[in-house]
């Protein structure tokens, strides 16, 4: 069964600190892995998209890594800011017979405190 | 500004009263889809459309209908809403369903069915 599991479910950190969010997946056949940021009351916004051959991709203070062998990804946030408070969703795309399917994780809720 | 627009943002209705949630995108995207988001569950796909007049069921299509008469619009129709359809709904669009095109989400419609 295709699944995407994220950890931790929630996380509280102080402003300025770094943090790492985890995503493990059992999705086959794998096409790409995406991280989205969802602010409260808003739709998810794309942060990064990584294909099988990409190990790391950055978007400002956000750096995503992908280990396709162990089927794990992480999202590292550097020097956190209050505006980083949001849910972070890992999404894995599976492809089969020319069609694509998105499998969503349940997200990690991050709270950054001043 | 490139965006996906959903209306209404909030909707309270009673069981059995037909309703439509509208979705419009101004990016000339081929692919559009509807998701529902419930506490503790990842985003689940209801229906998707690869292009005009082409629609297909997602993972949880029961109780919903869609249409794609124009490229920019993809309304979600609940013919006879029930309380278990109380949820947060998101419309999304993408340049295409294949490859690395990011999904662009609307800001959601919170539906309550009493």
């Amino acid at each position: 069964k295709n699944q995407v599991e994220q950890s931790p479910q929630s996380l509280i950190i102080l402003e300025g600190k770094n943090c790492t969010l985890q995503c493990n997946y059992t999705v086959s056949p794998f096409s790409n892995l995406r991280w989205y940021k969802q602010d409260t009351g808003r739709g998810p916004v794309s942060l990064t998209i990584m294909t099988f051959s990409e190990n790391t991709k950055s978007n400002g203070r956000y750096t995503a890594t992908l280990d396709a062998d162990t089927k794990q990804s992480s999202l590292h946030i550097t020097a956190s800011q209050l505006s980083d408070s949001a849910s972070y969703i890992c999404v894995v795309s599976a492809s089969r017979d020319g069609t694509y399917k998105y499998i969503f994780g349940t997200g990690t809720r991050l709270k950054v405190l001043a | 500004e490139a965006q996906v627009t959903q209306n209404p943002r909030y909707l309270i209705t009673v069981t059995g009263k037909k309703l439509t949630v509208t979705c419009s995108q101004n990016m000339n995207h081929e692919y559009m889809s509807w998701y529902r988001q419930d506490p503790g569950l990842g985003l689940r796909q209801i229906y998707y459309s690869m292009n005009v007049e082409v629609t297909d069921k997602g993972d949880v299509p029961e109780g919903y209908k869609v249409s794609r008469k124009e490229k920019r619009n993809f309304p979600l129709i609940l013919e006879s809403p029930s309380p278990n359809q109380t949820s947060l709904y998101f419309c999304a669009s993408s340049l295409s369903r294949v490859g690395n095109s990011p999904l662009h989400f609307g800001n959601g419609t919170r539906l309550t069915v009493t």
Side-chain angles (χ1 to χ4, degrees), chain A residues 7 19-25 33 35 48 50 55-57 62-67 71-77 90:
Chain A
S7 62
C19 68
T20 300
L21 314 180
Q22 300 290 344
C23 174
N24 297 337
Y25 62 92
L33 185 144
W35 283 94
T48 62
M50 288 185 293
N55 299 119
T56 185
K57 184 166 277 190
Y62 301 100
T63 300
T65 64
L66 174 64
D67 186 334
K71 299 187 177 181
Q72 296 179 325
S73 176
S74 65
L75 181 69
H76 186 74
I77 304 175
C90 177

Side-chain angles (χ1 to χ4, degrees), chain A residues 30-110:
Chain A
F30 175 89
S31 176
N32 57 59
L33 185 144
R34 306 153 181 243
W35 283 94
Y36 284 83
K37 178 187 179 188
Q38 185 177 18
D39 293 315
T40 301
R42 308 294 295 270
V45 174
S46 179
L47 293 175
T48 62
I49 300 175
M50 288 185 293
T51 60
F52 183 89
S53 59
E54 294 175 297
N55 299 119
T56 185
K57 184 166 277 190
S58 292
N59 179 356
R61 295 179 296 103
Y62 301 100
T63 300
T65 64
L66 174 64
D67 186 334
D69 292 330
T70 62
K71 299 187 177 181
Q72 296 179 325
S73 176
S74 65
L75 181 69
H76 186 74
I77 304 175
T78 303
S80 61
Q81 300 176 357
L82 297 179
S83 60
D84 292 330
S85 295
S87 288
Y88 292 84
I89 303 172
C90 177
V91 185
V92 181
S93 175
S95 66
R96 187 185 298 278
D97 300 327
T99 64
Y100 285 72
K101 183 178 178 66
Y102 299 109
I103 298 96
F104 290 81
T106 55
T108 291
R109 188 181 298 274
L110 174 66

Side-chain angles (χ1 to χ4, degrees), chain B residues 16-89:
Chain B
K17 186 175 181 181
K18 181 180 178 180
L19 67 90
T20 299
V21 184
T22 63
C23 174
S24 180
Q25 50 91 7
N26 62 0
M27 295 168 280
N28 200 35
H29 284 170
E30 290 184 346
Y31 178 79
M32 297 185 75
S33 60
W34 276 102
Y35 299 87
R36 61 179 289 173
Q37 188 175 39
D38 301 292
L41 300 175
L43 283 150
R44 293 181 292 168
Q45 189 177 56
I46 302 170
Y47 268 95
Y48 65 93
S49 169
M50 301 283 282
N51 214 323
V52 176
E53 302 290 2
V54 181
T55 63
D56 212 341
K57 296 177 180 178
D59 297 317
V60 288
E62 295 77 21
Y64 304 95
K65 286 174 58 177
V66 293
S67 69
R68 188 92 181 272
K69 292 182 170 55
E70 308 164 278
K71 199 170 188 177
R72 64 183 293 124
N73 296 323
F74 191 45
L76 178 70
I77 303 155
L78 284 73
E79 294 271 3
S80 182
S82 62
N84 64 13
Q85 293 179 298
T86 292
S87 186
L88 179 58
Y89 291 86

